[in-house]
Amino acid sequence: MSALAPLRGPAFRMLWLSWFAANLTVSMGDVASAWLMTSLSNNAMMVALVQSAATLPVFILGLPSGALADISDRRRFMAATLAWGAAVATALYVLVASGALTASLLLGFTFASGIGVAMRWPVFIAIIPEIVSNAELPSAIGLNAIAVHMSRLLGPVLAGVFLASMGSQYVFLANALLSIIALLLVMQCRPNSKDSTLPGERFVGAMRVGLKHVMESPRMRVVLARTYLFFFQVTALTALLPLVARNYHGAGIGSFTVMLAAMGGGAIAGILVLPYLRRVLGQDRLIYCGTGIYGIASVIVVVAPTLWLALLPMVVVGMAWIGVANSLTIAAQMTLPKWVRARGMSFVQIAMMGGIASGAALWGYVANLATVSISVFAAAIIGPFLFYVLHRLGGSGLADEDLTPVKLGSNLVPPVVDLQSDEGPVIITIEYMVDPTRADEFRSVMKETRRARLRQGAVSWKLYFDISEPGRYIEQIVNESWVDHHRLLERFTAADASLRERRLAFHTLSAPPRIQRYLEC
């Protein structure tokens, strides 16, 4: 499969172009805001807080945006986020052009711009599988990464041209125009209709199910912990880079944009060698090595005596960044089934932006107390150490699950009854007869079953044993409504089927376990 194969489809081509334009606005806006803050305030904390303000909305709104992406018209929802971005960029243009912008206002509008980014990312992730085949999906993910890093490479250059020749207000005007272009492109994209014939999930219920799915997935929890720790570390350099460029490589905005471009170029180069590195090192080693290499390269950047000596380690920084970030994203994608992918990836976004926001605040505070160099040194040491602690606590080596959808057998399909879809809660009981000598083994498998049921959307799960009849166990599952019970048909995977076979291996009767369904009066 060619890496460019998805671009042959008009729907993905339109989506890719809109994604590139949207990310270009983010990249240009970040550069303009960070540099503008250095002229509005000399406080290192205020400069670092620009990145916190941009990323904090993603941390706050990650789960709601993921839920909306899974239950709404995704094309129109993404268009609405682009319209929001155009409105915020226009307001910033007016404020800068009139000279009314203050440091506090800049932080406020940077936060507002971050709201649009927070709402847009999960819906974009959810649209991709609807417009490309499964065979094209890896290539599509690679192309999207290229779009992001091309925007990070081109964005600082374009922003630098505007800042040096015309003024920062024109960066925001250009962003408004690009957002409108991206909106028009995404409206031309026509995703496939959903396969499900069931009514859509409710907003609050969708958030609850998404949260429970992530909480009950050990592998997903490891991915989220790794994501938070990595971005907590790397933001020391990226958040303080305007001060590094100004104080250490005094060419001004030119050195700032060139350093960002070198990092973006390193990221694009890294994408090309990632398949080879992943085969040689494996996913875990690639993440650990990338974390360490990033720390070493970031230290070299801040101690380099000239701009040109700092550019090569900035390229290495970009390569290490994309190596770890891409591996974490793939790990999350392979951990999440389709029906909850947007919500699950929103948690990855929360972990990522939470790490950036908290890291930017902490490392900015350290830079204020000491120096920028000491802050970057501290991050380079603490980041890999925390990864080592996570590894020692068992945060690696978890097996992949087969998430291929599987249809349930006829004996497991809910009966056709005269019930409204929203009636509930529904209580399901399953009766097992188990050899008492194997009770501990059975209970161990049922602990895994509990996590699986809750990941599928069950409100609660319990296991009872009959004190008067040794070996008789009752599994109880509670679904919020009758339609939620039916959704289990669509959420059953090959991994769930394998787990069911392991449960049935303990059942001693020739007849299958008895299943009963009850509706609360």
Side-chain angles (χ1 to χ4, degrees):
M1 179 68 64
S2 167
L4 301 179
L7 290 174
R8 296 171 188 157
F12 180 80
R13 190 164 57 246
M14 293 294 181
L15 185 66
W16 188 88
L17 289 171
S18 69
W19 183 240
F20 174 68
N23 278 280
L24 193 58
T25 67
V26 174
S27 179
M28 292 173 63
D30 286 348
V31 172
S33 297
W35 192 255
L36 191 56
M37 183 60 82
T38 63
S39 63
L40 295 173
S41 173
N42 291 321
N43 191 317
M45 183 70 172
M46 291 296 288
V47 175
L49 282 176
V50 171
Q51 194 163 87
S52 293
T55 55
L56 189 58
V58 181
F59 181 75
I60 297 172
L61 299 174
L63 179 55
S65 64
L68 286 171
D70 275 333
I71 66 177
S72 64
D73 183 321
R74 291 167 176 166
R75 181 172 61 97
R76 294 182 183 276
F77 182 66
M78 186 170 177
T81 67
L82 293 167
W84 173 269
V88 172
T90 301
L92 277 170
Y93 166 74
V94 172
L95 286 171
V96 177
S98 63
L101 187 67
T102 65
S104 298
L105 277 175
L106 178 58
L107 288 179
F109 275 95
T110 302
F111 183 87
S113 179
I115 291 175
V117 176
M119 303 302 284
R120 181 167 64 240
W121 193 79
V123 71
F124 175 78
I125 293 296
I127 287 177
I128 297 174
E130 297 180 8
I131 59 177
V132 300
S133 66
N134 288 337
E136 291 176 328
L137 189 57
S139 297
I141 293 174
L143 285 169
N144 294 331
I146 289 175
V148 171
H149 293 288
M150 281 179 59
S151 69
R152 287 178 177 164
L153 180 62
L154 183 59
V157 175
L158 292 176
V161 171
F162 281 114
L163 290 170
S165 62
M166 303 175 67
S168 55
Q169 66 267 32
Y170 289 101
V171 176
F172 300 116
L173 179 61
N175 280 354
L177 296 175
L178 281 170
S179 294
I180 293 171
I181 292 172
L183 188 157
L184 296 175
L185 286 170
V186 81
M187 291 305 293
Q188 300 300 314
C189 172
R190 302 287 177 180
N192 298 327
S193 59
K194 292 185 177 181
D195 296 331
S196 176
T197 58
L198 297 174
E201 295 178 77
R202 294 178 178 177
F203 178 60
V204 175
M207 288 196 295
R208 176 189 61 79
V209 171
L211 176 61
K212 187 160 288 188
H213 184 92
V214 170
M215 290 177 62
E216 297 299 334
S217 171
R219 183 171 175 80
M220 195 64 192
R221 291 200 302 268
V222 169
V223 172
L224 294 179
R226 287 177 168 183
T227 301
Y228 176 84
L229 291 178
F230 178 69
F231 284 93
F232 177 79
Q233 171 197 348
V234 303
T235 195
L237 178 64
T238 56
L240 297 170
L241 196 60
L243 296 177
V244 174
R246 173 168 288 196
N247 296 340
Y248 292 81
H249 313 299
I253 185 63
S255 57
F256 179 49
T257 54
V258 168
M259 292 173 78
L260 283 176
M263 182 178 176
I268 292 176
I271 291 173
L272 301 178
V273 299
L274 266 181
Y276 171 76
L277 292 177
R278 191 170 285 114
R279 286 196 302 270
V280 172
L281 297 175
Q283 185 166 278
D284 277 3
R285 284 186 180 178
L286 182 57
I287 291 173
Y288 294 143
C289 291
T291 302
I293 291 171
Y294 185 100
I296 294 170
S298 64
V299 169
I300 296 174
V301 168
V302 297
V303 300
T306 68
L307 170 64
W308 303 112
L309 290 176
L311 291 183
L312 180 58
M314 282 301 296
V315 171
V316 176
V317 161
M319 295 180 72
W321 186 95
I322 191 58
V324 178
N326 186 265
S327 296
L328 291 169
T329 300
I330 291 175
Q333 291 273 16
M334 299 302 292
T335 303
L336 294 163
K338 284 186 177 181
W339 63 269
V340 75
R341 184 164 291 157
R343 279 165 282 185
M345 293 306 295
S346 73
F347 279 96
V348 176
Q349 188 184 31
I350 290 171
M352 182 189 305
M353 298 307 177
I356 292 173
S358 58
L362 175 63
W363 304 128
Y365 179 73
V366 172
N368 257 352
L369 289 180
T371 66
V372 171
S373 297
I374 290 176
S375 183
V376 174
F377 291 168
I381 295 171
I382 292 173
F385 173 74
L386 292 176
F387 260 84
Y388 173 76
V389 172
L390 178 64
H391 176 79
R392 296 294 296 176
L393 293 175
S396 64
L398 298 178
D400 290 333
E401 293 184 329
D402 186 353
L403 300 179
T404 306
V406 173
K407 289 188 177 182
L408 295 176
S410 57
N411 61 314
L412 300 177
V413 175
V416 178
V417 293
D418 187 17
L419 287 176
Q420 297 296 318
S421 62
D422 60 351
E423 287 192 65
V426 177
I427 301 173
I428 306 98
T429 62
I430 307 175
E431 181 178 332
Y432 303 91
M433 289 300 298
V434 178
D435 182 347
T437 62
R438 303 185 66 194
D440 289 342
E441 297 176 66
F442 177 71
R443 289 176 181 176
S444 177
V445 171
M446 294 309 285
K447 287 182 180 179
E448 296 181 47
T449 299
R450 173 188 177 276
R451 290 194 294 265
R453 303 291 197 199
L454 294 176
R455 286 200 303 268
Q456 290 170 345
V459 175
S460 66
W461 181 96
K462 292 181 181 179
L463 181 66
Y464 302 93
F465 70 93
D466 191 335
I467 59 176
S468 63
E469 187 177 352
R472 182 170 178 263
Y473 288 84
I474 303 295
E475 179 186 6
Q476 183 190 79
I477 310 157
V478 179
N479 290 127
E480 189 172 22
S481 65
W482 184 239
V483 70
D484 282 327
H485 182 49
H486 275 269
R487 288 195 179 102
L488 297 180
L489 295 171
E490 299 176 348
R491 296 173 180 173
F492 204 72
T493 66
D496 295 320
S498 175
L499 182 58
R500 180 174 181 271
E501 291 301 318
R502 291 169 60 196
R503 288 195 301 271
L504 293 180
F506 291 95
H507 186 61
T508 57
L509 300 182
S510 57
R514 184 185 181 192
I515 302 174
Q516 294 180 292
R517 298 171 178 87
Y518 304 89
L519 187 68
E520 186 174 295
C521 296

